């Protein structure tokens, strides 16, 4: 796994071979961050990364200078890897939480500028995630949800939806908290 841009550009982080996570492809990741680069000021943002997996997305946000990045991952092996990577990087803006995303949504004490969610595409609760995030206090007013999903999901009728992009089988839907 490599960092595409920012202060950690070009750094590589090894991911254990027995990982079950499906990392976002470099092509899709680069393109979604190009879109975000034209929409937000990374250095002023606090970010919540749900279903953090390998940490690839969290690392991209950190590399671009976000003031705080919280990664939430339920799998014990993945969370341990994230914590190890976080310690090796030594960036105090990054914190890792081992928790179930659905429990975390209900009890999270903070509000973020951006929530990035990349659940397993086969997750049965996948279609509920935008409503759960946007209906909670996770996002500040005007905050954004970037939701990665498979091609079989269409969120364009959601009242907070404002953009969709696809890179092969990787789809991103963008939502704004009203």
């Amino acid at each position: 796994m490599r960092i595409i841009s920012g202060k950690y550009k070009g750094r590589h982080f090894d991911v254990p071979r027995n990982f079950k996570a499906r990392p976002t492809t470099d092509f899709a990741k680069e393109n979604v961050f190009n879109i975000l680069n034209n929409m937000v000021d990374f250095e002023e943002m606090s970010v919540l990364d749900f279903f953090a997996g390998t940490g690839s997305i969290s690392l991209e946000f950190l590399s671009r200078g976000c003031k705080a990045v919280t990664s939430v991952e339920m799998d014990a092996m993945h969370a341990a890897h994230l914590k190890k990577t976080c310690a090796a990087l030594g960036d105090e803006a990054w914190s890792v939480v081992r928790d179930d995303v659905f429990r975390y949504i209900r009890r999270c004490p903070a509000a973020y500028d951006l929530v990035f969610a990349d659940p397993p595409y086969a997750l049965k609760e996948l279609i509920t995630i935008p409503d759960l995030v946007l209906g909670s206090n996770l996002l500040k007013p005007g905050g954004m949800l970037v939701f990665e999903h498979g091609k079989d999901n269409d969120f364009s009728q959601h009242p907070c939806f404002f953009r969709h992009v696809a890179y092969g089988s990787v789809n991103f839907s963008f939502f704004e908290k009203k």
Side-chain angles (χ1 to χ4, degrees):
M1 171 178 68
R2 74 178 175 90
I3 308 301
I4 293 170
S5 186
K7 64 184 174 185
Y8 302 126
K9 180 180 179 177
R11 287 190 66 174
H12 289 266
F13 294 89
D14 292 326
V15 176
R17 293 181 191 264
N18 56 350
F19 249 46
K20 296 173 274 186
R22 169 204 35 80
T24 303
T25 65
D26 281 355
F27 178 74
K29 183 171 59 172
E30 183 172 8
N31 281 292
V32 79
F33 273 93
N34 284 340
I35 290 169
L36 288 171
N37 194 48
N38 291 312
M39 297 171 69
V40 300
D41 180 0
F42 288 110
E43 293 177 3
E44 297 298 317
M45 294 183 65
S46 59
V47 175
L48 181 58
D49 181 11
F50 278 155
F51 306 96
T54 63
S56 173
I57 298 297
S58 294
L59 286 163
E60 289 295 338
F61 279 114
L62 278 173
S63 187
R64 286 164 169 79
C66 289
K67 63 183 178 183
V69 176
T70 302
S71 303
V72 179
E73 175 57 52
M74 184 173 70
D75 184 275
M77 181 177 62
H78 295 185
H81 170 73
L82 289 169
K83 288 179 181 182
K84 180 181 171 188
T85 304
C86 183
L89 192 61
D91 191 322
E92 294 189 14
W94 190 16
S95 61
V96 176
V97 176
R98 181 174 176 240
D99 201 351
D100 175 78
V101 164
F102 299 99
R103 274 195 309 253
Y104 193 82
I105 289 171
R106 288 192 305 270
R107 64 175 187 229
C108 179
Y112 296 85
D113 299 298
L114 188 142
V115 173
F116 188 98
D118 178 12
Y121 291 177
L123 184 72
K124 67 179 182 168
E125 301 93 347
L126 181 137
I127 62 169
T128 68
I129 293 171
D131 283 336
L132 290 172
V133 170
L134 294 159
S136 71
N137 293 320
L138 283 176
L139 280 172
K140 295 175 183 175
M144 186 185 321
L145 167 63
V146 179
F147 188 53
E148 183 176 337
H149 56 87
K151 63 181 183 298
D152 295 332
N153 302 102
D154 179 5
F155 297 96
S156 61
Q157 299 306 307
H158 192 284
C160 297
F161 172 89
F162 70 91
R163 185 170 188 172
H164 172 261
V165 293
Y167 305 103
S169 62
V170 181
N171 289 257
F172 295 96
S173 290
F174 294 75
F175 303 83
E176 182 178 4
K177 175 122 181 184
K178 307 281 186 204

